[in-house]
């Protein structure tokens, strides 16, 4: 399942905007990236998608379920009503016998409308398409106990606030439909992640060999002993498939991290190994925790909703992430889109970012620039350096504008053969800029060349 396109009419700052999402005939990846200045409307677009998709989640849960509504504040200033239209394609094999809204491409459309209070509404919500699509999934769950569900999740900027509980006070169930809990209104739910992980690990240890027991055997008899080898093999065969999916996803995104687990001593906490050193998850940096929580939450939901798949990470779905580069080191930003596509190959991603590194290091990504309520598609960003992306896509200087102006003046003096003026400006800049500045190094060579020519 994936979003084909959506349209906003008088929503936020958008009067009439239609967006086609990847994959398309031109962009084969499953990733669409939105860039733009603060206030350009990137978050508005993601929230509009989340609002529309909330109706599908609600009606998969119950036949007459209600999703989120547009608020009056979402209506564009000066307009009397707002409308979100969305088209979702679902061509899963299980739907072959199910009558689609459009038999040619399995396109389901629905609209969410809101009028201003006291005004006569001229547009109305249309929910026939979402009801038909939800009916299909409910029918599948009824007739096939191995049926899968599509992941639908929205991760807002507020996902950076993480809560790691020390105690579990409320017992929760983790059935297949529970993969939708807080998926569109809360972002990363680390408390629920911790509870789910602990329950699965307890079950895994009951049917196999715990990490603690294996470590004790290793310490007492050594890893070359027959008993350690036997228990190690038994542990590998009893690995929980859902936990394995989460662990492998985190390992793929975070090189050097492994063996995520719950430890009971000296107190209950979640631990992970970083470069061979065991750490409490709360000891990780904000960027590390944000990445682990985001990737872990996506993997957890996929594992819950695709329990019959050999690799639950191959389940399909739609994931919306606002400011995907939040708190991440540039090295992780560079590989982020590639890793999302490789780790979750059948999920469609719609991302926003302010980082030039995110969009210049991935192939076949559909990138849109938002500016003053208008949308512009960017071509051929793969392989551009960060400075080019800053200049051409994000309309931002690559360095301080005053410094750039003086460097440009220095170059002009040299081109015009004004040696004295160039040397004076070079001396000023050398006092202000750090030693080894590349542009100053180039200017020093040109000054020396000009001096030799005059001599």
């Amino acid at each position: 399942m994936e979003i084909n396109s959506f349209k906003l009419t008088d929503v936020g700052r958008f009067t009439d905007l239609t967006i086609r999402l990847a994959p398309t005939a031109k962009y084969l990846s499953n990733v669409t990236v939105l860039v733009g200045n603060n206030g350009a409307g990137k978050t508005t677009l993601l929230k509009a998608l989340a609002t529309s998709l909330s109706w599908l989640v609600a009606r998969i849960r119950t036949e007459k379920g209600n999703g989120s509504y547009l608020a009056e504040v979402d209506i564009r200033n000066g307009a009397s009503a707002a409308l979100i239209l969305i088209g979702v394609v679902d061509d899963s094999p299980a739907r072959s016998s199910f009558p689609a809204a459009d038999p040619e491409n399995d396109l389901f459309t629905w609209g969410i409308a809101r009028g201003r209070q006291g005004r006569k509404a001229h547009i109305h919500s249309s929910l026939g398409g979402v009801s038909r699509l939800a009916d299909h999934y409910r029918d599948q769950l009824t007739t096939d106990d191995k049926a899968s569900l599509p992941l639908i999740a929205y991760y807002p900027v507020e996902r950076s606030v993480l809560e790691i509980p020390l105690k579990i006070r409320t017992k929760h169930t983790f059935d297949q439909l529970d993969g939708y809990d807080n998926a569109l209104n809360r972002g990363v739910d680390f408390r629920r992640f911790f509870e789910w992980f602990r329950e699965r690990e307890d079950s895994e240890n009951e049917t196999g060999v715990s990490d603690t027991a294996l470590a004790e055997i290793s310490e007492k008899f050594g890893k070359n002993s027959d008993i350690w080898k036997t228990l190690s093999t038994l542990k590998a065969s009893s690995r929980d498939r859902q936990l394995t999916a989460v662990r492998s996803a985190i390992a793929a995104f975070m090189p050097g991290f492994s063996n995520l687990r719950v430890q009971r001593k000296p107190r209950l906490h979640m631990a992970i190994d970083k470069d061979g050193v065991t750490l409490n998850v709360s000891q990780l940096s904000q960027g590390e925790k944000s990445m682990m929580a985001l990737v872990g939450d996506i993997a957890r939901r996929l594992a819950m909703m695709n329990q019959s798949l050999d690799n639950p990470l191959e389940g399909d779905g739609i994931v919306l992430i606002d400011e995907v580069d939040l708190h991440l080191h540039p090295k992780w930003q560079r590989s982020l889109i590639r890793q999302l596509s490789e780790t979750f190959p059948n999920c469609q991603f719609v991302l926003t970012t302010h980082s030039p590194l995110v969009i210049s290091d991935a192939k076949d990504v559909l990138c849109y620039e938002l500016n003053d309520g208008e949308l512009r598609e960017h071509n051929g960003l793969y392989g551009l350096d960060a400075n080019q992306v800053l200049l051409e896509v994000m309309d931002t200087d690559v360095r301080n504008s005053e410094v750039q102006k003086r460097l440009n003046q220095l170059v002009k003096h040299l081109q015009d053969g004004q040696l004295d003026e160039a040397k004076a400006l070079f001396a000023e800049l050398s006092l202000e800029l750090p030693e080894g500045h590349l542009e100053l190094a180039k200017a020093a060579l040109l000054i020396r060349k000009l001096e030799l020519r005059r001599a």
Side-chain angles (χ1 to χ4, degrees):
M1 186 183 77
E2 62 192 32
I3 301 169
N4 177 274
S5 63
F6 68 104
K7 178 179 180 180
L8 303 185
T9 303
D10 293 326
V11 177
R13 63 181 302 155
F14 301 105
T15 304
D16 186 13
L17 181 71
T18 300
I19 304 181
R20 181 84 162 82
L21 300 183
T24 66
K26 185 176 180 181
Y27 299 96
L28 301 180
S29 79
N30 55 355
V31 181
T32 302
V33 181
L34 306 171
V35 300
N37 294 329
N38 290 328
K42 303 184 298 297
T43 299
T44 298
L45 297 183
L46 292 191
K47 286 184 175 179
L49 287 173
T51 297
S52 300
L53 293 171
S54 70
W55 287 84
L56 178 57
V57 171
R59 298 209 166 181
I60 289 176
R61 285 181 175 274
T62 59
E63 185 176 358
K64 299 296 182 182
N66 291 330
S68 301
Y69 293 89
L70 279 167
E72 189 162 332
V73 71
D74 296 325
I75 304 173
R76 185 178 61 85
N77 292 339
S80 59
L83 174 67
I84 307 171
L85 283 174
I86 187 170
V88 172
V89 173
D90 186 85
D91 56 0
S92 56
R95 288 198 53 264
S96 58
S97 61
F98 186 79
D102 184 345
E104 291 186 2
N105 57 14
D106 302 314
L107 180 66
F108 294 81
T109 61
W110 62 92
I112 310 299
R114 173 67 185 257
R116 288 196 185 278
Q117 190 171 3
R119 305 278 187 90
K120 186 175 181 180
H122 59 280
I123 53 176
H124 302 278
S125 298
S126 55
L127 302 171
V130 69
S131 294
R132 287 192 294 272
L133 185 54
D135 285 345
H136 153 64
Y137 284 110
R138 284 202 319 279
D139 289 344
Q140 288 298 311
L141 290 175
T142 302
T143 59
D144 183 2
D145 59 359
K146 294 185 178 181
S148 293
L149 289 172
L151 168 65
I152 299 173
Y154 170 45
Y155 298 95
V157 175
E158 294 79 11
R159 70 182 181 274
S160 60
V161 180
L162 303 178
E163 180 187 17
I164 305 175
L166 298 180
K167 294 183 179 179
I168 298 176
R169 296 181 175 86
T170 306
K171 185 71 174 177
H172 293 285
T173 61
F174 296 103
D175 297 327
Q176 193 172 14
L177 282 170
D178 293 326
Y180 289 129
D181 285 352
N182 298 321
L184 290 170
N185 59 7
R186 192 167 172 177
V188 173
D189 186 350
F190 205 86
R191 173 173 287 276
R192 191 64 61 90
F193 176 81
F194 179 85
E195 295 170 0
W196 170 84
F197 197 98
R198 180 186 176 186
E199 181 182 276
R200 301 296 307 186
E201 193 176 67
D202 285 344
S203 176
E204 182 181 60
N205 291 337
E206 286 175 4
T207 58
V209 181
S210 69
D211 288 316
T212 303
L214 199 61
E216 291 176 354
I217 294 296
S218 173
E219 185 176 343
K220 188 171 183 179
F221 298 101
K223 292 188 176 182
N224 291 323
S225 64
D226 290 339
I227 186 172
W228 186 90
K229 292 178 181 179
T230 300
L231 291 177
S232 180
T233 302
L234 179 61
K235 179 175 177 60
S237 65
S238 63
R239 285 282 188 184
D240 182 273
R241 188 184 303 169
Q242 295 186 34
L243 287 183
T244 299
V246 170
R247 290 167 178 146
S248 63
I250 291 174
F253 277 82
M254 303 172 67
F257 288 78
S258 62
N259 196 22
L260 181 66
R261 61 199 181 277
V262 173
Q263 287 192 338
R264 277 78 180 167
K265 296 178 182 180
R267 57 183 175 80
L268 187 67
H269 67 281
M270 182 165 273
I272 193 168
D273 294 341
K274 178 182 179 181
D275 298 325
V277 178
T278 298
L279 298 173
N280 187 321
V281 165
S282 62
Q283 294 177 295
L284 302 180
S285 71
Q286 188 64 37
E288 291 169 334
K289 286 190 289 189
S290 294
M291 174 64 83
M292 192 191 79
L294 173 65
V295 174
D297 195 72
I298 295 173
R300 173 183 74 97
R301 294 181 188 276
L302 281 171
M304 293 174 67
M305 304 168 88
N306 298 276
Q307 298 178 14
S308 64
L309 292 184
D310 290 336
N311 182 3
L313 301 184
E314 294 181 354
D316 75 334
I318 298 165
V319 181
L320 317 172
I321 310 176
D322 202 1
E323 294 193 22
V324 70
D325 54 294
L326 193 68
H327 301 303
L328 297 186
H329 186 277
K331 184 178 180 180
W332 282 4
Q333 292 179 25
R334 278 195 179 280
S335 59
L336 186 56
I337 288 181
R338 175 182 56 79
Q339 287 177 318
L340 284 172
S341 298
E342 291 178 356
T343 308
F344 311 112
N346 296 319
C347 283
Q348 180 187 37
F349 290 93
V350 185
L351 317 172
T352 74
T353 186
H354 290 108
S355 170
L357 299 176
V358 169
I359 57 178
S360 64
D361 226 59
K363 226 171 185 178
D364 296 326
V365 170
L366 175 53
C367 181
Y368 289 114
E369 178 192 0
L370 289 168
N371 187 18
D372 198 23
E374 300 293 328
L375 197 70
R376 184 161 70 98
E377 180 183 315
H378 277 282
N379 296 318
L381 297 178
Y382 177 64
L384 293 182
D385 64 42
N387 289 342
Q388 286 179 290
V389 177
L390 284 172
L391 287 169
E392 298 175 18
V393 181
M394 298 183 170
D395 194 26
T396 302
D397 291 332
V398 298
R399 62 169 60 89
N400 178 278
S401 58
E402 181 60 30
V403 171
Q404 185 64 56
K405 181 179 177 181
R406 295 167 71 192
L407 286 172
N408 291 342
Q409 186 62 47
L410 176 59
V411 172
K412 187 174 187 304
H413 286 325
L414 290 169
Q415 290 175 339
D416 294 342
Q418 298 171 339
L419 181 59
D420 293 338
E421 290 85 347
K423 291 173 72 173
L425 184 52
F426 178 85
E428 292 178 13
L429 288 169
S430 296
L431 293 174
E432 297 178 26
L433 299 181
E435 186 178 350
H437 192 283
L438 182 60
E439 298 301 320
L440 286 185
K442 292 179 182 177
L445 291 174
L446 292 173
I447 288 173
R448 181 60 179 158
K449 184 183 291 186
L450 197 57
E451 287 176 333
L452 291 173
R453 191 175 298 167
R454 285 201 174 183

